[in-house]
Protein backbone atom coordinates (compact mmCIF):
# COMPACT_ATOMS: atom_id res chain seq x y z
CA UNK A 1 0.00 0.00 0.00
CA UNK A 2 3.02 2.30 0.19
CA UNK A 3 3.47 5.18 -2.22
CA UNK A 4 6.70 6.09 -3.96
CA UNK A 5 8.03 9.52 -3.09
CA UNK A 6 7.53 12.01 -5.90
CA UNK A 7 10.73 13.60 -7.18
CA UNK A 8 10.32 17.33 -7.58
CA UNK A 9 11.84 18.95 -10.65
CA UNK A 10 12.48 22.66 -10.65
CA UNK A 11 11.56 24.00 -14.03
CA UNK A 12 12.07 27.63 -14.93
CA UNK A 13 11.66 29.29 -11.54
CA UNK A 14 12.75 32.85 -12.12
CA UNK A 15 14.67 34.56 -9.35
CA UNK A 16 14.80 38.33 -9.00
CA UNK A 17 18.02 38.83 -7.13
CA UNK A 18 17.43 42.49 -6.34
CA UNK A 19 14.11 41.83 -4.62
CA UNK A 20 15.35 39.19 -2.22
CA UNK A 21 17.54 39.02 0.82
CA UNK A 22 20.92 37.38 0.65
CA UNK A 23 19.69 34.40 2.70
CA UNK A 24 16.88 33.57 0.29
CA UNK A 25 19.15 34.04 -2.74
CA UNK A 26 21.73 31.78 -1.15
CA UNK A 27 19.16 29.13 -0.21
CA UNK A 28 17.90 28.99 -3.81
CA UNK A 29 21.42 28.74 -5.19
CA UNK A 30 22.40 26.09 -2.65
CA UNK A 31 19.31 24.04 -3.37
CA UNK A 32 19.83 24.15 -7.13
CA UNK A 33 23.41 23.04 -6.66
CA UNK A 34 22.54 20.28 -4.16
CA UNK A 35 24.29 21.94 -1.23
CA UNK A 36 21.50 20.87 1.09
CA UNK A 37 23.16 21.63 4.43
CA UNK A 38 23.69 25.26 3.43
CA UNK A 39 20.30 25.39 1.72
CA UNK A 40 18.60 24.39 4.96
CA UNK A 41 20.60 26.85 7.02
CA UNK A 42 19.85 29.75 4.68
CA UNK A 43 16.15 29.00 4.11
CA UNK A 44 15.59 28.70 7.86
CA UNK A 45 17.13 32.13 8.28
CA UNK A 46 15.05 33.55 5.42
CA UNK A 47 11.82 32.48 7.13
CA UNK A 48 12.71 34.75 10.06
CA UNK A 49 14.08 37.72 8.12
CA UNK A 50 11.77 40.72 7.91
CA UNK A 51 12.35 41.12 4.18
CA UNK A 52 11.47 37.55 3.26
CA UNK A 53 9.36 35.94 5.99
CA UNK A 54 6.13 36.98 4.24
CA UNK A 55 7.33 36.17 0.73
CA UNK A 56 5.67 33.04 -0.71
CA UNK A 57 8.91 32.24 -2.54
CA UNK A 58 10.62 31.74 0.81
CA UNK A 59 8.05 29.15 1.79
CA UNK A 60 7.93 27.31 -1.53
CA UNK A 61 11.69 26.85 -1.31
CA UNK A 62 11.48 25.76 2.31
CA UNK A 63 8.96 23.14 1.28
CA UNK A 64 11.15 21.97 -1.60
CA UNK A 65 14.31 21.83 0.50
CA UNK A 66 12.73 19.93 3.35
CA UNK A 67 11.07 17.49 0.96
CA UNK A 68 14.51 16.79 -0.44
CA UNK A 69 15.95 16.37 3.06
CA UNK A 70 13.18 13.88 3.90
CA UNK A 71 13.78 11.72 0.83
CA UNK A 72 14.79 8.24 2.09
CA UNK A 73 17.28 7.97 -0.80
CA UNK A 74 19.16 11.13 0.15
CA UNK A 75 22.94 10.93 0.47
CA UNK A 76 24.16 9.79 3.86
CA UNK A 77 25.91 13.09 4.59
CA UNK A 78 22.54 14.88 4.56
CA UNK A 79 20.64 12.38 6.64
CA UNK A 80 19.77 13.59 10.09
CA UNK A 81 19.68 17.29 9.18
CA UNK A 82 16.04 17.20 10.26
CA UNK A 83 13.97 14.63 12.14
CA UNK A 84 10.62 16.04 11.06
CA UNK A 85 11.40 16.99 7.48
CA UNK A 86 7.97 16.34 6.00
CA UNK A 87 6.17 18.04 8.86
CA UNK A 88 8.23 21.19 8.20
CA UNK A 89 7.60 20.89 4.45
CA UNK A 90 3.87 20.54 5.13
CA UNK A 91 3.80 23.69 7.27
CA UNK A 92 5.81 25.53 4.60
CA UNK A 93 3.38 24.49 1.86
CA UNK A 94 0.42 25.72 3.91
CA UNK A 95 2.18 29.05 4.54
CA UNK A 96 3.04 29.39 0.84
CA UNK A 97 -0.59 28.74 -0.07
CA UNK A 98 -1.70 31.48 2.34
CA UNK A 99 0.78 34.06 1.01
CA UNK A 100 0.66 33.24 -2.71
CA UNK A 101 -2.26 35.49 -3.61
CA UNK A 102 -1.45 35.46 -7.33
CA UNK A 103 -0.97 31.66 -7.27
CA UNK A 104 2.41 32.06 -8.93
CA UNK A 105 3.72 29.01 -7.10
CA UNK A 106 0.53 26.96 -6.97
CA UNK A 107 1.61 24.21 -9.35
CA UNK A 108 4.92 23.66 -7.62
CA UNK A 109 3.39 23.97 -4.16
CA UNK A 110 0.87 21.28 -5.11
CA UNK A 111 3.84 19.04 -5.85
CA UNK A 112 5.14 19.69 -2.36
CA UNK A 113 1.76 18.72 -0.96
CA UNK A 114 1.85 15.53 -3.05
CA UNK A 115 5.29 14.57 -1.77
CA UNK A 116 4.22 15.28 1.80
CA UNK A 117 0.96 13.40 1.28
CA UNK A 118 2.82 10.34 0.01
CA UNK A 119 5.22 10.53 2.95
CA UNK A 120 2.38 10.79 5.45
CA UNK A 121 0.59 7.92 3.77
CA UNK A 122 3.69 5.74 3.93
CA UNK A 123 4.06 6.58 7.60
CA UNK A 124 0.39 5.77 8.18
CA UNK A 125 0.89 2.33 6.65
CA UNK A 126 4.04 1.73 8.69
CA UNK A 127 2.38 2.76 11.96
CA UNK A 128 -0.68 0.62 11.21
CA UNK A 129 1.50 -2.41 10.42
CA UNK A 130 3.44 -1.88 13.65
CA UNK A 131 0.16 -1.58 15.54
CA UNK A 132 -1.03 -4.93 14.18
CA UNK A 133 2.26 -6.58 15.08
CA UNK A 134 2.25 -5.23 18.64
CA UNK A 135 -1.52 -5.01 19.11
CA UNK A 136 -0.91 -1.52 20.46
CA UNK A 137 -4.00 0.68 20.88
CA UNK A 138 -1.92 3.87 21.00
CA UNK A 139 -0.36 3.02 17.65
CA UNK A 140 -3.79 2.35 16.17
CA UNK A 141 -4.91 5.78 17.36
CA UNK A 142 -1.79 7.32 15.83
CA UNK A 143 -2.57 5.57 12.54
CA UNK A 144 -6.04 7.13 12.64
CA UNK A 145 -4.54 10.59 13.24
CA UNK A 146 -2.06 10.21 10.41
CA UNK A 147 -4.78 8.95 8.06
CA UNK A 148 -6.80 12.08 8.77
CA UNK A 149 -3.74 14.17 7.89
CA UNK A 150 -3.33 12.27 4.62
CA UNK A 151 -6.91 13.10 3.66
CA UNK A 152 -6.38 16.77 4.52
CA UNK A 153 -3.11 17.01 2.59
CA UNK A 154 -4.65 15.29 -0.42
CA UNK A 155 -7.39 17.91 -0.40
CA UNK A 156 -4.72 20.61 -0.65
CA UNK A 157 -2.84 18.89 -3.49
CA UNK A 158 -5.87 17.68 -5.43
CA UNK A 159 -4.29 14.23 -5.67
CA UNK A 160 -6.66 11.89 -3.86
CA UNK A 161 -5.24 8.56 -5.01
CA UNK A 162 -4.43 7.51 -1.44
CA UNK A 163 -7.50 9.02 0.21
CA UNK A 164 -9.64 5.89 0.01
CA UNK A 165 -6.82 3.75 1.43
CA UNK A 166 -6.31 6.28 4.22
CA UNK A 167 -9.96 6.04 5.24
CA UNK A 168 -9.69 2.24 5.08
CA UNK A 169 -6.71 2.18 7.45
CA UNK A 170 -8.46 4.67 9.74
CA UNK A 171 -11.56 2.47 9.84
CA UNK A 172 -9.61 -0.71 10.55
CA UNK A 173 -7.70 1.09 13.31
CA UNK A 174 -10.93 2.40 14.81
CA UNK A 175 -12.30 -1.15 14.84
CA UNK A 176 -9.25 -2.38 16.72
CA UNK A 177 -9.67 0.22 19.48
CA UNK A 178 -13.46 -0.33 19.49
CA UNK A 179 -14.16 3.28 18.60
CA UNK A 180 -17.43 2.49 16.85
CA UNK A 181 -18.37 6.12 16.33
CA UNK A 182 -15.23 6.58 14.24
CA UNK A 183 -15.77 3.25 12.51
CA UNK A 184 -19.18 4.48 11.43
CA UNK A 185 -17.76 7.81 10.25
CA UNK A 186 -14.94 6.34 8.17
CA UNK A 187 -16.90 3.45 6.70
CA UNK A 188 -19.85 5.63 5.72
CA UNK A 189 -17.40 7.81 3.78
CA UNK A 190 -15.97 4.74 2.07
CA UNK A 191 -19.44 3.61 1.06
CA UNK A 192 -20.04 7.04 -0.49
CA UNK A 193 -16.76 6.49 -2.34
CA UNK A 194 -18.14 3.19 -3.72
CA UNK A 195 -15.63 1.01 -1.88
CA UNK A 196 -15.28 -2.60 -2.94
CA UNK A 197 -14.37 -3.72 0.61
CA UNK A 198 -16.92 -6.26 1.87
CA UNK A 199 -15.80 -5.66 5.46
CA UNK A 200 -16.97 -2.06 5.32
CA UNK A 201 -20.55 -2.96 4.47
CA UNK A 202 -20.65 -6.00 6.73
CA UNK A 203 -19.24 -4.13 9.74
CA UNK A 204 -21.73 -1.28 9.41
CA UNK A 205 -24.57 -3.73 8.86
CA UNK A 206 -23.66 -5.64 12.03
CA UNK A 207 -23.25 -2.38 13.95
CA UNK A 208 -26.73 -1.21 13.03
CA UNK A 209 -28.17 -4.68 13.63
CA UNK A 210 -26.67 -4.67 17.13
CA UNK A 211 -28.45 -1.35 17.66
CA UNK A 212 -31.65 -2.88 16.26
CA UNK A 213 -31.72 -0.09 13.69
CA UNK A 214 -33.54 -1.90 10.89
CA UNK A 215 -33.69 1.10 8.56
CA UNK A 216 -29.94 1.81 8.60
CA UNK A 217 -28.99 -1.87 8.40
CA UNK A 218 -31.21 -2.47 5.38
CA UNK A 219 -29.96 0.72 3.74
CA UNK A 220 -26.36 -0.50 3.99
CA UNK A 221 -27.22 -3.91 2.54
CA UNK A 222 -29.33 -2.40 -0.23
CA UNK A 223 -26.66 0.14 -1.23
CA UNK A 224 -24.10 -2.65 -1.38
CA UNK A 225 -26.19 -5.03 -3.49
CA UNK A 226 -28.14 -2.73 -5.80
CA UNK A 227 -26.08 0.45 -6.11
CA UNK A 228 -22.40 0.07 -5.30
CA UNK A 229 -21.48 -3.55 -6.07
CA UNK A 230 -24.39 -5.30 -7.80
CA UNK A 231 -22.07 -7.80 -9.51
CA UNK A 232 -20.34 -8.84 -6.28
CA UNK A 233 -21.83 -12.05 -4.92
CA UNK A 234 -20.87 -10.96 -1.38
CA UNK A 235 -23.28 -8.04 -1.63
CA UNK A 236 -26.18 -10.38 -2.27
CA UNK A 237 -25.14 -12.63 0.60
CA UNK A 238 -25.33 -9.64 2.92
CA UNK A 239 -28.72 -8.76 1.46
CA UNK A 240 -29.90 -12.32 2.14
CA UNK A 241 -28.70 -11.98 5.72
CA UNK A 242 -30.63 -8.72 6.04
CA UNK A 243 -33.84 -10.23 4.71
CA UNK A 244 -33.56 -13.18 7.09
CA UNK A 245 -33.08 -10.76 9.97
CA UNK A 246 -36.35 -9.02 9.20
CA UNK A 247 -38.13 -12.32 8.57
CA UNK A 248 -38.52 -12.14 4.80
CA UNK A 249 -37.58 -15.68 3.81
CA UNK A 250 -38.73 -15.35 0.19
CA UNK A 251 -36.49 -12.36 -0.42
CA UNK A 252 -33.63 -14.07 1.41
CA UNK A 253 -33.87 -17.05 -0.93
CA UNK A 254 -34.00 -14.69 -3.91
CA UNK A 255 -30.83 -12.91 -2.82
CA UNK A 256 -29.10 -16.23 -2.13
CA UNK A 257 -29.95 -17.43 -5.62
CA UNK A 258 -28.66 -14.16 -7.07
CA UNK A 259 -25.36 -14.68 -5.23
CA UNK A 260 -25.04 -18.11 -6.80
CA UNK A 261 -25.90 -16.70 -10.24
CA UNK A 262 -23.06 -14.18 -9.90
CA UNK A 263 -20.54 -17.04 -9.67
CA UNK A 264 -22.18 -19.23 -12.33
CA UNK A 265 -19.08 -19.09 -14.50
CA UNK A 266 -16.65 -19.67 -11.65
CA UNK A 267 -15.01 -22.95 -10.67
CA UNK A 268 -16.46 -25.40 -8.16
CA UNK A 269 -14.31 -24.03 -5.34
CA UNK A 270 -15.82 -20.57 -5.62
CA UNK A 271 -19.33 -21.93 -6.04
CA UNK A 272 -18.85 -24.20 -3.05
CA UNK A 273 -17.66 -21.40 -0.80
CA UNK A 274 -20.68 -19.30 -1.76
CA UNK A 275 -22.98 -22.21 -0.92
CA UNK A 276 -21.23 -22.62 2.44
CA UNK A 277 -21.63 -18.94 3.21
CA UNK A 278 -25.34 -19.17 2.42
CA UNK A 279 -25.52 -22.25 4.63
CA UNK A 280 -23.90 -20.34 7.49
CA UNK A 281 -26.34 -17.45 7.10
CA UNK A 282 -29.32 -19.81 7.14
CA UNK A 283 -27.87 -21.71 10.09
CA UNK A 284 -27.62 -18.49 12.08
CA UNK A 285 -31.25 -17.82 11.20
CA UNK A 286 -32.16 -21.33 12.46
CA UNK A 287 -33.32 -22.38 9.00
CA UNK A 288 -31.60 -25.72 9.51
CA UNK A 289 -33.21 -27.76 6.75
CA UNK A 290 -32.48 -25.19 4.05
CA UNK A 291 -28.96 -24.62 5.39
CA UNK A 292 -28.28 -28.35 5.20
CA UNK A 293 -29.29 -28.36 1.54
CA UNK A 294 -26.65 -25.76 0.70
CA UNK A 295 -23.90 -27.52 2.69
CA UNK A 296 -24.77 -30.82 1.01
CA UNK A 297 -24.65 -29.16 -2.40
CA UNK A 298 -21.21 -27.81 -1.60
CA UNK A 299 -19.98 -31.26 -0.58
CA UNK A 300 -21.43 -32.64 -3.81
CA UNK A 301 -19.23 -30.48 -6.03
CA UNK A 302 -16.67 -32.89 -7.42
CA UNK A 303 -13.73 -30.53 -7.82
CA UNK A 304 -14.49 -28.08 -5.03
CA UNK A 305 -11.24 -28.60 -3.15
CA UNK A 306 -10.30 -29.04 0.51
CA UNK A 307 -11.31 -25.56 1.62
CA UNK A 308 -14.92 -26.12 0.54
CA UNK A 309 -14.95 -29.58 2.09
CA UNK A 310 -13.70 -28.15 5.37
CA UNK A 311 -16.22 -25.29 5.38
CA UNK A 312 -19.08 -27.64 4.57
CA UNK A 313 -18.10 -30.20 7.21
CA UNK A 314 -17.58 -27.53 9.85
CA UNK A 315 -20.85 -25.89 8.83
CA UNK A 316 -22.81 -29.13 9.12
CA UNK A 317 -21.21 -29.90 12.47
CA UNK A 318 -22.25 -26.48 13.78
CA UNK A 319 -25.71 -26.89 12.27
CA UNK A 320 -26.43 -30.14 14.11
CA UNK A 321 -24.81 -28.78 17.29
CA UNK A 322 -27.03 -25.68 17.19
CA UNK A 323 -30.11 -27.78 16.51
CA UNK A 324 -29.25 -29.96 19.53
CA UNK A 325 -28.77 -26.86 21.67
CA UNK A 326 -32.22 -25.63 20.65
CA UNK A 327 -33.78 -28.91 21.79
CA UNK A 328 -31.99 -28.61 25.14
CA UNK A 329 -33.20 -25.04 25.54
CA UNK A 330 -36.74 -26.16 24.76
CA UNK A 331 -36.44 -29.06 27.23
CA UNK A 332 -35.35 -26.71 29.99
CA UNK A 333 -38.59 -24.79 29.55
CA UNK A 334 -40.71 -27.86 30.31
CA UNK A 335 -42.25 -27.51 33.77
CA UNK A 336 -40.97 -29.90 36.42
CA UNK A 337 -44.54 -31.00 37.01
CA UNK A 338 -44.93 -32.19 33.41
CA UNK A 339 -45.56 -35.94 33.27
CA UNK A 340 -45.95 -36.36 29.52
CA UNK A 341 -42.32 -37.33 28.96
CA UNK A 342 -41.74 -34.25 26.82
CA UNK A 343 -38.55 -33.36 28.68
CA UNK A 344 -36.94 -36.74 28.00
CA UNK A 345 -38.18 -36.67 24.41
CA UNK A 346 -36.50 -33.33 23.75
CA UNK A 347 -33.26 -34.43 25.39
CA UNK A 348 -33.22 -37.56 23.24
CA UNK A 349 -33.71 -35.43 20.14
CA UNK A 350 -30.77 -33.26 21.19
CA UNK A 351 -28.63 -36.38 21.58
CA UNK A 352 -29.60 -37.54 18.10
CA UNK A 353 -28.48 -34.18 16.68
CA UNK A 354 -25.22 -34.33 18.64
CA UNK A 355 -24.50 -37.77 17.20
CA UNK A 356 -25.07 -36.44 13.70
CA UNK A 357 -22.56 -33.62 14.36
CA UNK A 358 -19.71 -35.93 15.42
CA UNK A 359 -18.48 -37.17 12.00
CA UNK A 360 -18.53 -33.67 10.52
CA UNK A 361 -16.54 -32.12 13.36
CA UNK A 362 -14.15 -35.09 13.31
CA UNK A 363 -13.51 -34.62 9.60
CA UNK A 364 -13.05 -30.87 10.02
CA UNK A 365 -10.51 -31.44 12.82
CA UNK A 366 -8.51 -33.88 10.72
CA UNK A 367 -8.39 -31.38 7.85
CA UNK A 368 -7.00 -28.45 9.85
CA UNK A 369 -5.16 -29.94 12.84
CA UNK A 370 -1.80 -28.87 11.38
CA UNK A 371 -3.00 -25.61 9.80
CA UNK A 372 -1.68 -22.72 11.88
CA UNK A 373 -3.96 -20.32 10.02
CA UNK A 374 -7.12 -22.14 11.12
CA UNK A 375 -6.44 -22.58 14.81
CA UNK A 376 -9.64 -20.77 15.74
CA UNK A 377 -11.79 -23.13 13.67
CA UNK A 378 -9.82 -26.10 15.01
CA UNK A 379 -10.47 -25.04 18.61
CA UNK A 380 -14.16 -24.44 17.90
CA UNK A 381 -14.56 -27.98 16.58
CA UNK A 382 -12.59 -29.49 19.48
CA UNK A 383 -14.63 -27.69 22.12
CA UNK A 384 -17.87 -28.58 20.37
CA UNK A 385 -16.86 -32.26 20.38
CA UNK A 386 -15.88 -32.04 24.04
CA UNK A 387 -19.37 -30.82 24.89
CA UNK A 388 -20.97 -33.47 22.69
CA UNK A 389 -18.97 -36.33 24.24
CA UNK A 390 -19.88 -35.12 27.72
CA UNK A 391 -23.58 -34.89 26.80
CA UNK A 392 -23.54 -38.35 25.26
CA UNK A 393 -21.50 -39.75 28.18
CA UNK A 394 -18.74 -40.80 25.76
CA UNK A 395 -16.13 -40.15 28.41
CA UNK A 396 -13.51 -42.37 26.78
CA UNK A 397 -13.24 -39.79 23.97
CA UNK A 398 -12.55 -36.82 26.24
CA UNK A 399 -8.83 -37.43 27.00
CA UNK A 400 -7.93 -37.13 23.32
CA UNK A 401 -9.76 -33.78 23.04
CA UNK A 402 -8.09 -32.49 26.19
CA UNK A 403 -4.69 -33.60 24.90
CA UNK A 404 -5.23 -31.79 21.59
CA UNK A 405 -6.27 -28.58 23.34
CA UNK A 406 -3.29 -28.73 25.70
CA UNK A 407 -0.97 -29.23 22.73
CA UNK A 408 -1.86 -25.75 21.49
CA UNK A 409 -1.66 -24.17 24.93
CA UNK A 410 -5.31 -24.43 25.99
CA UNK A 411 -6.63 -26.15 29.09
CA UNK A 412 -10.20 -26.61 27.97
Amino acid sequence: MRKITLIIALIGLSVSMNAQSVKLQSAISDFRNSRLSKAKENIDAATEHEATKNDPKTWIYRGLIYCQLGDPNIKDKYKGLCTNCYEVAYEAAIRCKELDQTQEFKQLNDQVFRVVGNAYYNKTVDVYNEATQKNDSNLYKEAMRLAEEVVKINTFSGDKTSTKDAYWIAGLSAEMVKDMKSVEKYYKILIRMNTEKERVYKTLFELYRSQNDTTKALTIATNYSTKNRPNDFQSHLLMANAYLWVGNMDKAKESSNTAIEKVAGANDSVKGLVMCQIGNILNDAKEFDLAKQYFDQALGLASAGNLVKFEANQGLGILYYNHAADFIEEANKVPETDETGKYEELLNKSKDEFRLAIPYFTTAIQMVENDKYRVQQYVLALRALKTIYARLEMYDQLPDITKRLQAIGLEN
Side-chain angles (χ1 to χ4, degrees):
M1 291 197 293
R2 291 178 62 89
K3 302 289 183 182
I4 299 173
T5 301
L6 177 67
I7 302 299
I8 296 178
L10 285 175
I11 303 175
L13 263 186
S14 61
V15 181
S16 176
M17 295 297 185
N18 294 330
Q20 296 164 340
S21 74
V22 173
K23 293 295 184 183
L24 178 54
Q25 294 175 32
S26 298
I28 294 171
S29 177
D30 292 331
F31 177 63
R32 287 182 165 180
N33 289 283
S34 299
R35 298 188 294 267
L36 295 182
S37 297
K38 293 297 294 181
K40 176 185 179 298
E41 179 184 335
N42 285 317
I43 201 64
D44 288 347
T47 61
E48 298 178 2
H49 195 284
E50 287 297 325
T52 51
K53 68 179 183 180
N54 292 318
D55 187 339
K57 185 169 287 185
T58 298
W59 297 97
I60 186 61
Y61 271 99
R62 193 177 207 215
L64 292 168
I65 290 168
Y66 273 85
C67 278
Q68 194 69 40
L69 290 171
D71 191 326
N73 297 316
I74 195 172
K75 293 180 180 178
D76 288 342
K77 66 179 180 178
Y78 297 127
K79 289 181 178 178
L81 287 178
C82 54
T83 57
N84 58 340
C85 305
Y86 289 115
E87 288 85 346
V88 175
Y90 183 20
E91 293 170 358
I94 292 174
R95 185 62 178 148
C96 178
K97 184 178 179 67
E98 292 171 350
L99 294 171
D100 189 18
Q101 297 300 313
T102 64
Q103 298 194 330
E104 178 183 356
F105 305 110
K106 181 184 184 306
Q107 186 174 1
L108 195 58
N109 203 40
D110 285 347
Q111 289 190 49
V112 174
F113 277 127
R114 290 189 186 99
V115 173
V116 172
N118 285 343
Y120 268 70
Y121 176 75
N122 289 341
K123 187 174 181 181
T124 302
V125 173
D126 290 342
V127 170
Y128 174 77
N129 287 338
E130 185 180 359
T132 59
Q133 292 166 7
K134 297 180 179 179
N135 193 25
D136 188 316
S137 60
N138 289 326
L139 287 172
Y140 280 121
K141 290 175 183 177
E142 176 63 5
M144 290 168 63
R145 186 193 70 79
L146 288 168
E148 291 271 14
E149 288 297 322
V150 171
V151 172
K152 188 188 303 181
I153 296 166
N154 289 352
T155 301
F156 284 133
S157 71
D159 180 4
K160 299 183 179 181
T161 53
S162 62
T163 296
K164 189 181 287 188
D165 282 344
Y167 278 126
W168 171 235
I169 292 172
L172 291 174
S173 299
E175 278 195 67
M176 297 307 297
V177 297
K178 302 188 187 317
D179 181 355
M180 301 315 293
K181 186 175 180 180
S182 293
V183 169
E184 182 180 16
K185 179 182 76 171
Y186 296 131
Y187 284 174
K188 283 175 70 175
I189 292 171
L190 282 171
I191 287 175
R192 288 198 296 270
M193 297 175 76
N194 194 19
T195 181
E196 75 285 359
K197 305 287 189 183
E198 177 204 2
R199 181 169 179 162
V200 171
Y201 301 95
K202 192 171 182 179
T203 299
L204 277 186
F205 174 79
E206 294 298 342
L207 173 63
Y208 293 137
R209 181 157 69 170
S210 70
Q211 297 170 350
N212 205 31
D213 193 329
T214 307
T215 300
K216 287 185 178 179
L218 288 175
T219 297
I220 293 298
T222 302
N223 281 344
Y224 188 18
S225 63
T226 64
K227 182 181 177 182
N228 285 13
R229 318 299 295 178
N231 293 319
D232 185 347
F233 72 88
Q234 296 284 8
S235 70
H236 298 286
L237 291 177
L238 185 62
M239 195 72 246
N241 201 351
Y243 281 132
L244 282 172
W245 178 47
V246 298
N248 193 333
M249 176 56 71
D250 289 339
K251 283 290 187 180
K253 290 179 180 178
E254 185 179 312
S255 291
S256 296
N257 289 333
T258 301
I260 293 175
E261 288 172 7
K262 295 300 178 183
V263 295
N267 57 40
D268 281 355
S269 292
V270 174
K271 291 177 184 175
L273 289 174
V274 172
M275 290 173 181
C276 288
Q277 288 187 57
I278 295 172
N280 289 330
I281 292 170
L282 292 167
N283 188 16
D284 289 342
K286 299 186 183 299
E287 294 291 339
F288 299 122
D289 291 340
L290 190 55
K292 183 178 182 302
Q293 290 179 29
Y294 280 101
F295 286 130
D296 286 341
Q297 286 180 55
L299 283 176
L301 295 172
S303 59
N306 287 336
L307 179 57
V308 172
K309 289 182 173 61
F310 166 75
E311 293 290 345
N313 276 284
Q314 185 89 323
L316 284 164
I318 293 171
L319 183 151
Y320 287 119
Y321 184 98
N322 287 349
H323 206 185
D326 284 350
F327 281 127
I328 292 173
E329 183 179 355
E330 192 176 344
N332 289 334
K333 294 177 182 178
V334 176
E336 292 184 8
T337 56
D338 183 88
E339 297 180 357
T340 64
K342 185 176 181 180
Y343 178 80
E344 289 76 12
E345 179 187 350
L346 290 169
L347 284 186
N348 287 332
K349 286 183 177 180
S350 75
K351 290 178 181 180
D352 289 340
E353 296 298 308
F354 278 141
R355 291 188 186 94
L356 290 171
I358 290 174
Y360 294 110
F361 278 133
T362 301
T363 299
I365 286 170
Q366 292 170 348
M367 294 184 75
V368 297
E369 60 184 332
N370 297 315
D371 188 343
K372 64 180 181 180
Y373 298 108
R374 290 188 170 269
V375 174
Q376 185 175 355
Q377 292 94 328
Y378 179 60
V379 171
L380 184 152
L382 286 173
R383 286 178 170 163
L385 273 182
K386 187 172 185 179
T387 299
I388 291 171
Y389 290 145
R391 284 280 181 177
L392 298 178
E393 299 180 357
M394 298 171 63
Y395 301 120
D396 59 317
Q397 300 293 329
L398 291 176
D400 179 62
I401 301 296
T402 300
K403 182 179 178 181
R404 286 172 178 270
L405 288 169
Q406 290 175 341
I408 55 176
L410 297 173
E411 295 298 323
N412 53 58

